[in-house]
Amino acid sequence: MCSTEIHGSSEVLKETNTSPHDQTETFLRRHEVEKLTGLGRSTIYLWMRQGHFPRPFKIGPRAVAWKRSSIQAWMDQRGGAA
């Protein structure tokens, strides 16, 4: 199940897992990923092609998003620096 929350000018999509742990996964759009990582669009897509950055998934016919946990894990693996 997905829900949408609006924070300022930023739209955040959340997926609610119905697992026993009741965890909520947050999805980030590209501009939010750029802001969080400090990377630009072309670097993100280049590193994705090279296998150095998490791939997004489709959330609609013309929209993709990244799981916040995937981006956080990538940042943790790099020592928090982009």
Side-chain angles (χ1 to χ4, degrees), residues 12-80:
V12 178
L13 301 174
K14 290 189 172 186
E15 178 182 83
T16 305
N17 298 326
T18 54
S19 70
H21 302 290
D22 278 341
Q23 296 176 352
T24 300
E25 178 69 72
T26 304
F27 301 136
L28 303 171
R29 299 297 305 272
R30 184 179 47 84
H31 70 278
E32 295 166 314
V33 172
E34 291 173 6
K35 191 174 177 181
L36 187 62
T37 62
L39 299 174
R41 178 179 151 247
S42 54
T43 301
I44 289 171
Y45 284 101
L46 173 65
W47 287 4
M48 280 176 16
R49 279 193 306 276
Q50 294 173 342
H52 302 302
F53 195 80
R55 290 197 165 274
F57 59 95
K58 288 183 93 49
I59 59 171
R62 293 174 37 137
V64 297
W66 285 259
K67 288 185 178 182
R68 180 181 290 274
S69 60
S70 297
I71 299 301
Q72 188 62 53
W74 178 85
M75 289 173 39
D76 292 345
Q77 181 182 17
R78 295 182 55 86

